[in-house]
Amino acid sequence: METVLINPEQDTLTDELLQKIDAYWRAANYLSVGQLYLRHNPLLKKPLLLEHVKAMLLGHWGTTPGQNFIYTHLNRVIKRFDLEIIYISGPGHGGPAVVASTYLEGTYSEVYPDISQDEEGLQKLFTQFSYPGGISSHASPQTPGSIHEGGELGYSLSHAFGAVLDNPELIAACVVGDGEAETGPLATAWHSNKFLNPLTDGVVLPILHLNGYKISNPTVLARITHEELEQLFMGYGWTPYFVEGDDPMLMHEAMANTLEKVITQIHQIKCDAKANGLTERARWPMIVLRSPKGWTGPKEVDGFKIEGNFRAHQIPLAVSASAPPEHLQMLEDWMKSYRPEELFNAAGTLNADLQELAPQGSRRMGANPHANGGQLLKQLHLPDFREYATEVGSPGCAGEGDTYVSSRFLRDIIKANGQERNFRIFGPDETVSNRFDVIFEATNRQWEGPVLNTDEFQATDGRVMEMLSEHQCEGWLEGYLLTGRHGLFNCYEAFIHIVDSMFNQHAKWLKASSELPWRRNIASLNILLTSTVWRQDHNGFTHQDPGFIDHVVNKKATIVRVYLPPDANCLLSVMDHCLRSVQYVNVIVAGKHPAPQWLTMEQAIDHCTRGIGIWNFASNDQEAEPDVVMACSGDVPTLETLAAVSIIREHLPEINIRVINVVDLFKLQKSSEHSHGLADSAYNELFTMDKPVIFAFHGYPWLVHRLTYNRANNAYMHVRGYKEEGTITTSFDMTVLNEMDRFHLAMDVIDRLPQTGSKGVHLKQQLLDKLIEHKHYIGANGKDMPEILDWQWKND
């Protein structure tokens, strides 16, 4: 399809409507400037004085008038075509625009009755912005209609695509800043159009806002030629429309005309798909809006160009006791240029004829329920996870692989929720690698491109979303959750770090929105990490990093949860719990390779419900105080711990050992610090007050020390885990390299129990000899010793 160029002289608007749209835009701009500067005299009924101006001027003007322009014109087409549109503000710190626009449409005052539609409400609206105890300068959770923070750049378009999946009537209008467009996640997100099904999904309308500058630099896309920019987006598979200029009246006509064409094209794509099926991938429309940065603001200040320059980015005009005194008059002139007396009545309420321009009810973008997704959240239909149990005749029996077992559960969740279409699985081309391929018995990967007869599991409609970009998978899922659905993100453990910052932002969103009574809870962000550090035999050092859980632990205790199930039945129990939860980030770390199975399903349910517990079958301290506590968390640490226990019990049977397994990592914290934490009394009962604790941990050892630093027996805690030692080697050798293997764990017991005496000394020598034997064996044979590969737990 050829690019459509806009003829700004085409008359889409009547003169009366044109004047009203411009007035509405001026009102939004006036409110935006007021938020940046004023705390008194909101309607300028009195001459502006310095005492009317905030002491600290914080915020961003540059993107704001362009976003007000977009919001105003989207309101028009919502009313004209009865559309369901949400607004996503991608440019950094566009808060004044979305706050002003949701206030004008009435949503803001409904959510915050104290910010009323009158002069008093205007003063409070202005004062609260970037003010202690007030609201932030971006589209935060406090902003009605927002599902995207905007404080960190790059994720808006991914969120938009996630929002419209399985929402066939929804349009996500996503404003992309030209600075934001330079980020890696955003640059990749343009390709998300290859995954959108016009029959079953909604529409993303990107609006690239080219205002030319970032904080102090020109932007890349604003400085390439029109032809190159057009070709770029045509190459991405979009149909770009251009609206360019700085004359407000011509720009209103051009934008109105463009949106008419865009909505018509969207409608045509949808109709063609219904009539003819999906014959080829749609080339969805997008808009490139080129307008001056800081449009309608000061042209020049103190000899420096402001409008259309980077200096318009934040506060374009300093007004304070130390600033040039003429700046105060410049501010008043600027605000009066919007002619507020024509926009608001004497009481400070927007004139009735302008109020009519906004949509009504839930059609208002600030009131759309998809932007408060908990309003639409339906509970998942979950089959009974116990029916998928692995039979455990005795502890240590062979297993198929924990994720492989859980994939049958996920497959049937997809089947059970097929009609509601509210559950998806996301991952970066790793669903099969992570041994979830059983899922494809129930669905396919969604893919709107050509399908070859050699492809597998590719279809225009599917419940699995795969793109080799962790950023897109995380962003899609976040958008999907924020609009009221459920999902799971599976990823290689080492590479989940790619979305560290995205996780940060989502966790902060959950924390902030939990404090807002009008924000409804959304389904939890569930992240399953596999292909873990201890089982990267052929990938080596680059794939060995368990540190994401360290990063997660930094976040608010009310938001984050970390689970390390030791076997398949525990994984099933944990996954069922996480998929039922709301308003959390749940991180699950599980293995995919065949591994020993320890607990029956009923035992697993009890153990996971507690989150931590003594494994009686492996302990021999039932009738006496333990001499040592052997603790473990994670599948491989559990295996190595039990193997070490078997060595000690065989050679030093007089030693009393207590074995503790930790599924819920936050059980290690005090109950005063995390709601899942153990009280000191319960913790001391398990770990004792003065006995050595040998703790084998899945991740970096210092995380356990960090969680237990203020426990009574902290001085007795000795943790082994990953120490940043790795290479291409055998699975067992990975534990040896990091000294978390059974031999090192057994030696730790000997070193901390002097009562083992001469027997302990001789056993330690045998264990050291085993480590040498191990190194020689893997070097000669390329695999672990038979006694390692064939080891099984022996029950008494």
Side-chain angles (χ1 to χ4, degrees):
M1 184 179 295
E2 293 182 359
T3 300
V4 180
L5 297 177
I6 303 307
N7 178 1
E9 295 186 2
Q10 290 182 358
D11 188 11
T12 302
L13 305 174
T14 64
D15 287 341
E16 180 183 6
L17 184 54
L18 173 62
Q19 295 299 324
K20 286 184 177 181
I21 285 176
D22 184 66
Y24 196 96
W25 180 47
R26 285 188 280 117
N29 287 338
Y30 180 84
L31 296 186
S32 299
V33 180
Q35 290 176 76
L36 294 174
Y37 284 94
L38 299 188
R39 64 190 186 102
H40 294 296
N41 194 17
L43 290 172
L44 300 180
K45 291 181 177 179
K46 297 178 288 187
L48 189 62
L49 302 175
L50 199 57
E51 64 195 52
H52 301 150
V53 179
K54 297 177 183 178
M56 292 192 299
L57 299 179
L58 303 169
H60 295 71
W61 167 246
T63 181
T64 295
Q67 290 204 60
N68 285 334
F69 180 84
I70 293 166
Y71 204 106
T72 299
H73 280 271
L74 289 173
N75 278 344
R76 187 189 72 82
V77 293
I78 290 171
K79 289 198 68 173
R80 172 161 161 70
F81 297 102
D82 190 28
L83 300 175
E84 189 165 27
I85 297 180
I86 60 172
Y87 182 91
I88 296 178
S89 174
H93 302 277
V98 285
V99 170
S101 294
T102 53
Y103 177 83
L104 288 175
E105 70 186 19
T107 308
Y108 205 93
S109 297
E110 291 175 9
V111 172
Y112 303 108
D114 194 44
I115 311 295
S116 50
Q117 296 279 311
D118 52 27
E119 186 172 2
E120 182 182 359
L122 280 177
Q123 180 173 329
K124 292 177 180 178
L125 182 79
F126 291 177
T127 302
Q128 69 174 359
F129 182 81
S130 285
Y131 199 80
I135 63 174
S136 63
S137 63
H138 35 85
S140 64
Q142 289 85 354
T143 307
S146 175
I147 66 165
H148 176 79
E149 176 82 6
E152 182 178 334
L153 302 179
Y155 314 137
S156 61
L157 202 50
S158 305
H159 286 158
F161 275 95
V164 302
L165 292 173
D166 299 316
N167 267 332
E169 303 304 317
L170 183 65
I171 297 175
C174 181
V175 184
V176 177
D178 47 356
E180 179 191 21
E182 296 176 9
T183 64
L186 198 290
T188 305
W190 298 112
H191 287 298
S192 295
N193 57 5
K194 283 78 174 177
F195 298 87
L196 212 58
N197 185 317
L199 291 175
T200 57
D201 300 323
V203 177
V204 174
L205 174 59
I207 304 172
L208 175 63
H209 186 202
L210 289 182
N211 61 29
Y213 293 91
K214 304 183 281 284
I215 293 177
S216 61
N217 264 304
T219 57
V220 172
L221 294 184
R223 290 294 178 92
I224 64 177
T225 66
H226 184 288
E227 179 185 26
E228 185 179 354
L229 188 64
E230 181 181 25
Q231 291 175 348
L232 175 68
F233 287 108
M234 291 181 68
Y236 276 135
W238 296 92
T239 301
Y241 293 77
F242 289 82
V243 178
E244 303 171 288
D246 60 4
D247 183 293
M249 294 308 176
L250 292 178
M251 288 290 280
H252 285 310
E253 283 283 7
M255 189 63 170
N257 185 46
T258 298
L259 281 172
E260 296 274 333
K261 293 179 180 293
V262 163
I263 299 304
T264 299
Q265 183 181 345
I266 289 171
H267 179 73
Q268 190 62 54
I269 290 172
K270 290 268 189 179
C271 288
D272 288 347
K274 290 177 182 178
N276 305 317
L278 302 179
T279 56
E280 62 181 24
R281 179 170 56 82
R283 298 183 67 89
W284 297 100
M286 64 165 293
I287 296 173
V288 178
L289 172 65
R290 191 187 298 269
S291 63
K293 194 175 185 79
W295 194 12
T296 73
K299 308 296 184 187
E300 184 178 296
V301 176
D302 298 335
F304 293 102
K305 179 178 171 60
I306 302 298
E307 185 187 67
N309 191 25
F310 70 87
R311 297 182 188 278
H313 182 76
Q314 294 177 315
I315 299 295
L317 179 65
V319 180
S320 67
S322 59
E326 63 269 21
H327 284 198
L328 182 64
Q329 186 60 52
M330 292 175 68
L331 173 60
E332 184 173 15
D333 292 344
W334 175 16
M335 296 193 71
K336 285 187 172 181
S337 73
Y338 299 118
R339 307 193 296 280
E341 69 281 359
E342 299 177 5
L343 311 173
F344 302 94
N345 62 27
T349 303
L350 184 69
N351 290 337
D353 61 331
L354 298 183
Q355 291 182 36
E356 294 174 355
L357 295 181
Q360 300 298 308
S362 62
R363 283 294 192 255
R364 294 171 296 175
M365 289 185 283
N368 192 300
H370 292 95
N372 189 5
Q375 294 182 10
L376 304 174
L377 185 65
K378 297 179 180 178
Q379 189 170 359
L380 275 180
H381 302 297
L382 293 175
D384 186 347
F385 68 93
R386 292 170 294 187
E387 296 178 1
Y388 304 86
T390 290
E391 184 175 347
V392 179
S394 62
C397 65
E400 302 172 277
D402 298 351
T403 59
Y404 184 75
V405 172
S406 66
S407 69
R408 302 182 189 117
F409 181 48
L410 292 172
R411 173 199 63 197
D412 292 349
I413 293 174
I414 289 171
K415 290 179 180 178
N417 294 276
Q419 187 172 358
E420 283 80 3
R421 298 182 63 86
N422 66 345
F423 178 75
R424 286 182 183 254
I425 294 172
F426 301 79
D429 189 32
E430 293 164 0
T431 305
V432 172
S433 175
N434 290 334
R435 302 200 69 203
F436 287 127
D437 41 306
V438 173
I439 290 168
F440 292 119
E441 294 175 5
T443 189
N444 290 291
R445 304 180 183 96
Q446 184 156 314
W447 170 258
E448 305 308 310
V451 177
L452 307 180
N453 56 16
T454 53
D455 291 338
E456 296 183 0
F457 315 130
Q458 307 290 141
T460 55
D461 185 26
R463 300 284 87 200
V464 176
M465 300 292 294
E466 286 192 340
M467 184 178 181
L468 193 49
S469 166
E470 286 81 359
H471 285 123
Q472 301 317 307
C473 297
E474 173 79 11
W476 288 342
L477 176 54
E478 289 178 1
Y480 200 64
L481 299 175
L482 287 161
T483 48
R485 281 74 63 74
H486 305 258
L488 174 71
F489 180 19
N490 73 100
C491 184
Y492 281 14
E493 180 184 52
F495 302 133
I496 193 65
H497 279 296
I498 293 170
V499 300
D500 275 3
S501 198
M502 295 187 77
F503 152 77
N504 279 349
Q505 297 302 315
H506 189 76
K508 290 176 183 290
W509 179 280
L510 292 178
K511 191 266 185 186
S513 61
S514 296
E515 298 167 359
L516 299 169
W518 60 272
R519 282 276 183 192
R520 300 283 292 276
N521 287 344
I522 62 172
S524 296
L525 171 60
N526 297 308
I527 301 174
L528 191 147
L529 304 181
T530 186
S531 297
T532 65
V533 57
W534 304 109
R535 292 292 184 261
Q536 288 295 333
D537 310 355
H538 67 290
N539 286 316
F541 198 37
T542 59
H543 285 54
Q544 295 160 354
D545 187 332
F548 184 69
I549 53 179
D550 296 64
H551 182 61
V552 170
V553 168
N554 292 333
K555 296 304 162 198
K556 200 70 176 176
T558 54
I559 300 301
V560 292
R561 306 287 185 265
V562 177
Y563 300 98
L564 296 104
D567 65 6
N569 288 336
C570 288
L571 175 57
L572 285 167
S573 178
V574 166
M575 189 172 291
D576 178 82
H577 170 76
C578 291
L579 290 174
R580 294 178 186 276
S581 70
V582 296
Q583 210 69 7
Y584 296 132
V585 177
N586 297 310
V587 178
I588 310 169
V589 184
K592 69 180 184 181
H593 296 284
Q597 301 299 299
W598 306 106
L599 303 181
T600 66
M601 179 52 78
E602 292 308 312
Q603 291 170 335
I605 292 172
D606 290 344
H607 183 48
C608 293
T609 302
R610 289 192 303 270
I612 188 173
I614 298 172
W615 279 11
N616 286 318
F617 75 85
S619 305
N620 66 345
D621 68 324
Q622 287 85 352
E623 297 180 1
E625 282 291 307
D627 297 304
V628 64
V629 175
M630 301 286 283
C632 49
S633 186
D635 57 348
V636 172
T638 298
L639 167 61
E640 292 305 310
T641 293
L642 292 184
V645 168
S646 70
I647 292 172
I648 297 296
R649 291 183 60 177
E650 178 183 353
H651 295 276
L652 301 171
E654 66 277 14
I655 300 301
N656 293 326
I657 302 175
R658 175 178 295 173
V659 177
I660 294 176
N661 183 265
V662 181
V663 177
D664 182 346
L665 190 61
F666 285 108
K667 288 294 180 181
L668 299 176
Q669 276 197 302
K670 288 195 173 190
S671 55
S672 59
E673 297 175 359
H674 196 286
S675 61
H676 285 201
L678 291 178
D680 279 334
S681 57
Y683 182 91
N684 293 337
E685 285 178 359
L686 287 174
F687 289 96
T688 78
M689 297 279 285
D690 55 4
K691 297 299 190 293
V693 178
I694 312 301
F695 200 126
F697 181 53
H698 174 85
Y700 291 101
W702 44 82
L703 180 55
V704 173
H705 286 296
R706 175 181 164 191
L707 294 172
T708 62
Y709 78 97
N710 55 359
R711 295 293 193 176
N713 71 342
N714 181 53
Y716 299 94
M717 180 73 69
H718 177 68
V719 186
R720 290 195 177 273
Y722 183 64
K723 300 196 301 183
E724 204 65 22
E725 293 292 339
T727 185
I728 297 173
T729 189
T730 68
S731 298
F732 180 68
D733 193 50
M734 268 298 295
T735 65
V736 173
L737 288 173
N738 290 277
E739 300 182 339
M740 196 201 69
D741 59 279
R742 59 198 68 183
F743 302 136
H744 278 95
L745 293 172
M747 287 189 288
D748 283 341
V749 174
I750 296 168
D751 290 343
R752 284 159 179 77
L753 295 178
Q755 65 263 41
T756 59
S758 181
K759 289 176 65 176
V761 172
H762 284 278
L763 176 57
K764 184 174 180 179
Q765 182 64 60
Q766 293 177 42
L767 298 175
L768 289 169
D769 291 342
K770 276 294 179 186
L771 288 170
I772 295 172
E773 180 185 353
H774 155 73
K775 285 296 183 184
H776 288 318
Y777 188 91
I778 65 172
N781 298 278
K783 61 179 182 179
D784 287 318
M785 296 185 296
E787 65 186 85
I788 300 297
L789 294 174
D790 301 333
W791 179 86
Q792 288 186 321
W793 174 261
K794 294 180 181 179
N795 293 292
D796 294 337

